Each structure stands twice: as C-alpha cells, then as structure tokens.
C-alpha cells in the first residue's frame, strides 16, 4: 500500500441529526394522551402500585382503556388475535402510554404485546411449544442446567407484562384458551430443591435468576434468593433478569424497598468478591423515555451493572436504523447491549420471526458503530437445547429452504441443531416443499448431511 504524505486528513463529515437522535428521549406527561390516564398526575403515574393495579389483564380491560383512540375494526382485530394467542394478556400503563395509537398497526410496541388476527401467519411445521427444551434440561422443576458452569433458575412464572413472543409460553402467565401451563409458582420448597441442586454441583459458578420476572418478586424474596445463592461457595456470579426497566421503569423510582433489596444483594456479593448484575430486555428505542433514564441512573449510582438482551422481531427492530438507535440509546443510559436473539420457534408468532440471514446483515451493520463492549452479539438459541450460537457460526445454511444447522461442542458434543427461517420469506417453491412431509424430511436430512452429520438432539422429523 502506498501512503502519500501529502494526502489531507480524512475529516469526518459534520454529524447528522439522525446520529444524535438517541439522546432525545420522550419526556413530559405523555401518558395523558390516553383517555383513561388524562387526569393522572406524575406522582400517580410513576407509582409502581398504581402501575400494577392499572395493568390490564384481559382483552376487555385493554379495549376499555383504548376505546375512542382506535377504530372499532382494530379492536375486533385484537380480539381475533387474542382468541388464537398462546400467551396471557398483561400490559402496564407505561407500555400502553408508549404505543402510538394513531398508527397502532405499525407500532413496534403494540406488535410485541397485542396480536392482530389479520396478521397472524401459519406456524412453521417444525414449531414446538418448549423449543429450547428447558424442561428436558431441568434436573429439578424450574432449574435448567444446560451449560457446564451456569444454570437458569425460574423462581416464579409471572411478569409485569406478557410478551407475545415469550419463549416460556409453556409456563409463563395463566392458562390461555389454547395452552395449559407448567406450574412454576413461587414456592419455597421448590426453590430449596433448586438451591440444593446448585450446592451439589461444584461446577456451577453462574446463576441466571429469571422467570417470570424478578420485578414480581417481593423485596424479601430477592434477598432470600440472593443470599441463598451467594451463600453457596462455588457460585461466583448472579444475574437477576427483569423486563421491568422496559415496561415499568418508574418502579425503580418509587419502590425503594425493592431497589434496596437488590442493592443489598449486589453490595453483599461485592464484599464476597462475587458479581451480581441485572439483565433486562429492551426491544425498541421507543420503550426508552426520560423515566427510563432516571431509573437507569438510580441503579448506575448504586454501582449496579445492567446488561440488555433484545429479541430480533420482524416489524419491530429488524432494520439497521432501529437497531442502531436502540443500541445507542441503551449505551447512552449505561445499559450494555449484550445479546440480540433470533426469535425462538414459538407457537402463534410466526409473523414476528426473521431469517438468520437478516440477523447476519444487521450484525454486520451494527458492529463498529459504537464501543465494542456496547455491541451486542447476535445469537440463535438453537432449538433442541444446543444453547446460544453466533448467527455467523453455523455448520451449514440452506438459504433457499431456510434451514441453518449448528454444532454446540461445548454444550452437547456430537449433536446437530437446526433453526428454521420463517416460511413467509422463502420462495413459493420452497414454501410448497415445506407443506409436503416427504420433501420436508428430505430437505432436513440433506442439510444435516451438508453439515457433516445426523440430527441427534433436535426436533424429530415428522
Ligand atoms: C441463556 C442461558 C444461560 C446464560 O447464558 P449466557 O450466554 O452466559 O448469557 C444459562 N442457562 C440457560 C439455560 C440459558 O438459556
Ligand atoms: S417478560 Fe420475559 S418471561 Fe415475561 S413474558 Fe416477556 S419474554 Fe416472557
């Protein structure tokens, strides 16, 4: 390469407004645009008890809250969507107030929580309800030990909201018209069985406390779980997982007992040289407001690390501009973007999935745009229990039929795992092949063969 001494330095062009958009956060009393909240003052809206009491839990309650904002045809569409949904309904006032009801069809927050009958797509033929095999890898109910040194503990089965795309729709929320749930109630005996198992496995250093959602745990339970796990000598790292910051950030401002309980576990962990952090779940930049920033600041000032896990969702965050804005906005709040997950193969939400190829393109667009430690890793949680794999790290990818094949040598050596792109993005010929059971099996066998092996742990070929 020739380097010219006379070449002028390549100055960056002046920054565009779009590049600073992540700093403009929604402020003011934005909730007053919702008729049901038009007379709600700030202290009331921020109060976590009010938020919990006014969360809507049935389609009728929701429809009553938004009546007048949307046309009747939209309401009928939501009703039709709920009738076919595997998830229970729960929406906090913060979420309801964050949706643009002028354009509810396109709204990225609406899409995550409210199904529309008119946009549902037929499930992929390879879909199962617990596609991650969390129950198969569970030595005691509500504890999944898949990876060598880390385990996933599900102390409870409720969340401050219910997401349409929830991977754990086999357990989370109450039974729905089409699913009877596995019972994961908060239960001290079940918890003790999980603690005993963790204590009996010296290789376990890292425990994810998920759910359900740690926001729903009363402060004394945060302390009980945190202290029980910190008390196990070989446990070095805890993560409390909550979507709360994204859907009810004001709890951090008004529930001082909860914040004190988490802070207490973090401080005790630090005194033992153990790392306790919060993992949260933002999917779209519109979920972040000035309230979120205040909440993130409270946790930051208490020295609590927050990492974010995003689900890649069609029509929500599957464009370069939106993903970049989300990553920058989270970084601006000192929340580290950790993972972007491929959407799991979950029933009833085909309209939300993207292809592996789209995830790869997004990853390439995002990497380099900000600090490396704020650049999320794009992963596919391999169906069948293979664990998280880099979206670029497949053994074989048949783009035409939308079949990617992964190995997971550190998790399940010798096995292959398949992920399937949504049918809607495939050619008409490929879609037709998927409808034929013989061709379906042949495509999968061919992909496995290309990847150099046979399927052992993954979905059975029917
Ligand atoms: C995601 C997950 C973990 C944590 O994995 P990291 O990659 O360390 O975030 C642990 N156990 C199970 C079952 C998981 O799904
Ligand atoms: S907050 Fe998490 S666990 Fe709860 S419904 Fe949403 S995705 Fe599922």
């Amino acid at each position: 390469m020739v380097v010219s001494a006379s070449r002028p330095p390549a100055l960056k062009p002046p920054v565009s407004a779009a590049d600073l958009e992540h700093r403009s956060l929604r402020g003011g009393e934005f909730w007053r645009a919702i008729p049901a909240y038009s007379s709600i003052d700030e202290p009331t809206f921020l109060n976590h008890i009010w938020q919990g009491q006014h969360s809507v839990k049935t389609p009728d309650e929701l429809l009553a809250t938004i009546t007048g904002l949307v046309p009747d045809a939209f309401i009928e569409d939501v009703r039709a969507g709920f009738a076919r949904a595997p998830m229970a309904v729960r929406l906090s006032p913060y979420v309801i107030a964050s949706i643009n009801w002028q354009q509810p069809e396109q709204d990225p927050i609406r899409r995550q929580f409210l199904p529309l009958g008119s946009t549902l797509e037929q499930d992929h033929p390879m879909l199962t309800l617990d596609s991650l095999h969390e129950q198969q890898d569970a030595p005691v109910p509500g504890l999944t030990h898949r990876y060598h040194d880390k385990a996933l503990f599900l102390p409870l089965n409720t969340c401050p909201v219910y997401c349409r795309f929830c991977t754990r729709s086999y357990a989370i929320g109450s039974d729905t018209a089409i699913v009877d749930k596995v019972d994961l109630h908060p239960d001290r005996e079940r918890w003790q069985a999980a603690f005993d198992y963790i204590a009996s496995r010296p290789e376990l250093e890292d425990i994810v406390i998920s759910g359900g959602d740690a926001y729903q745990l009363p402060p004394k339970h945060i302390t009980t779980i945190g202290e029980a796990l910190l008390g196990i000598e070989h446990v070095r790292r805890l993560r409390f997982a909550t979507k709360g910051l994204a859907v009810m950030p004001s709890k951090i401002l008004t529930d001082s007992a909860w914040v004190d309980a988490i802070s207490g576990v973090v401080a005790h962990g630090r005194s033992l040289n153990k790392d306790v952090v919060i993992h949260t779940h933002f999917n779209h930049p519109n979920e972040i407001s000035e309230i979120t920033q205040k909440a993130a600041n409270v946790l930051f000032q208490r020295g609590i690390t927050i990492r974010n896990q995003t689900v890649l969702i069609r029509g929500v965050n599957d464009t370069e501009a939106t993903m970049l804005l989300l990553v920058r906005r989270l970084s601006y709040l000192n929340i580290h973007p950790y993972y972007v997950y491929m959407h799991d193969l979950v029933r009833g939400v085909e309209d939300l999935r993207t292809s592996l190829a789209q995830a790869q393109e997004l990853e390439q667009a995002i990497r380099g745009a900000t600090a490396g430690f704020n650049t999320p890793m794009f992963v596919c949680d391999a169906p069948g229990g293979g664990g998280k794999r880099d979206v670029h790290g497949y053994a074989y990818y048949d783009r035409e039929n939308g079949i990617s094949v992964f190995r997971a040598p550190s998790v399940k050596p010798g096995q292959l795992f398949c992920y399937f792109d949504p049918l809607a993005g495939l050619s008409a010929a490929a879609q037709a092949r998927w409808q034929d059971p013989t061709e379906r099996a042949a495509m999968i066998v061919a992909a496995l063969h290309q990847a150099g092996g046979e399927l052992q742990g993954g979905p059975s070929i029917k």
Side-chain angles (χ1 to χ4, degrees), residues 196-454:
D196 291 346
Y197 175 84
I198 294 166
S200 77
R201 300 297 303 222
E203 74 272 38
L204 282 177
E205 296 184 351
D206 184 346
I207 309 297
V208 181
I209 303 145
S210 185
D213 193 300
Y215 242 44
Q216 301 297 107
L217 289 168
K220 65 174 192 288
H221 288 166
I222 296 277
T223 306
T224 304
I225 293 171
E227 292 302 324
L229 294 173
L230 286 177
I232 299 172
E233 200 178 345
H234 51 261
V235 172
R236 305 282 300 161
R237 298 178 288 280
L238 301 184
R239 335 174 189 174
F240 282 94
T242 172
K243 194 171 169 64
L245 271 174
V247 296
M248 205 187 281
S250 62
K251 179 180 168 89
I252 302 296
L253 307 175
T254 64
D255 191 350
S256 55
W258 192 90
V259 176
D260 287 346
I262 275 272
S263 307
V265 177
V266 172
H268 188 208
R270 186 163 291 132
S271 76
L272 299 169
N273 300 307
K274 297 186 178 194
D275 186 35
V276 181
V277 305
I278 291 179
H279 275 203
T280 191
H281 174 185
F282 288 89
N283 291 328
H284 192 277
N286 288 3
E287 293 159 5
I288 302 173
S289 67
E290 286 181 357
I291 303 173
T292 325
Q293 185 176 35
K294 285 188 189 134
N297 288 349
V298 165
L299 298 173
F300 186 75
Q301 288 182 13
R302 298 211 183 192
I304 304 180
T305 299
I306 312 174
R307 301 193 193 105
N308 186 68
Q309 312 197 140
T310 293
V311 180
L312 177 56
I313 309 174
R314 197 194 318 165
V316 172
N317 54 18
D318 59 341
T319 66
E320 199 182 310
T322 303
M323 189 57 82
L324 188 57
L325 185 57
L326 175 64
V327 163
R328 285 190 170 141
R329 200 164 270 177
L330 289 167
S331 307
Y332 195 63
L333 267 59
N334 294 314
I335 298 173
H336 299 291
Y338 173 40
Y339 278 141
V340 175
Y341 287 91
M342 292 295 298
H343 200 296
D344 290 324
L345 285 149
V346 180
R347 204 152 103 189
V349 287
E350 265 312 82
D351 58 310
L352 298 182
R353 294 202 303 126
T354 61
S355 68
L356 189 81
Q358 286 170 283
Q360 293 178 306
E361 281 166 26
L362 278 176
E363 192 279 338
Q364 288 173 13
I366 300 302
R367 184 156 300 278
T370 187
F373 55 78
N374 277 332
T375 304
M377 170 141 209
F378 284 64
V379 291
C380 177
D381 208 341
K388 301 166 187 75
R389 313 308 302 170
D390 184 334
V391 294
H392 299 290
Y394 48 79
Y396 178 69
Y397 185 14
D398 168 2
R399 287 177 184 239
E400 162 69 15
N401 296 309
I403 306 173
S404 41
V405 187
F406 293 87
R407 283 176 206 291
S410 64
V411 185
K412 299 205 168 133
Q415 295 189 21
L416 292 174
F417 301 88
C418 291
Y419 183 81
F420 303 100
D421 292 342
L423 296 189
L426 303 180
S427 69
Q431 293 194 28
R433 280 194 289 278
W434 277 109
Q435 299 311 323
D436 176 337
T438 313
E439 295 222 46
R440 191 185 300 163
M443 289 188 292
I444 296 173
V445 169
L448 294 169
H449 185 72
Q450 289 289 335
E454 315 258 308

Side-chain angles (χ1 to χ4, degrees), residues 87 113 158-163 165-168 172 210-213 243 281:
M87 277 306 282
F113 299 102
T158 59
C159 302
V161 295
Y162 293 128
C163 314
F165 47 85
C166 184
T167 296
R168 304 204 178 103
I172 300 298
S210 185
D213 193 300
K243 194 171 169 64
H281 174 185

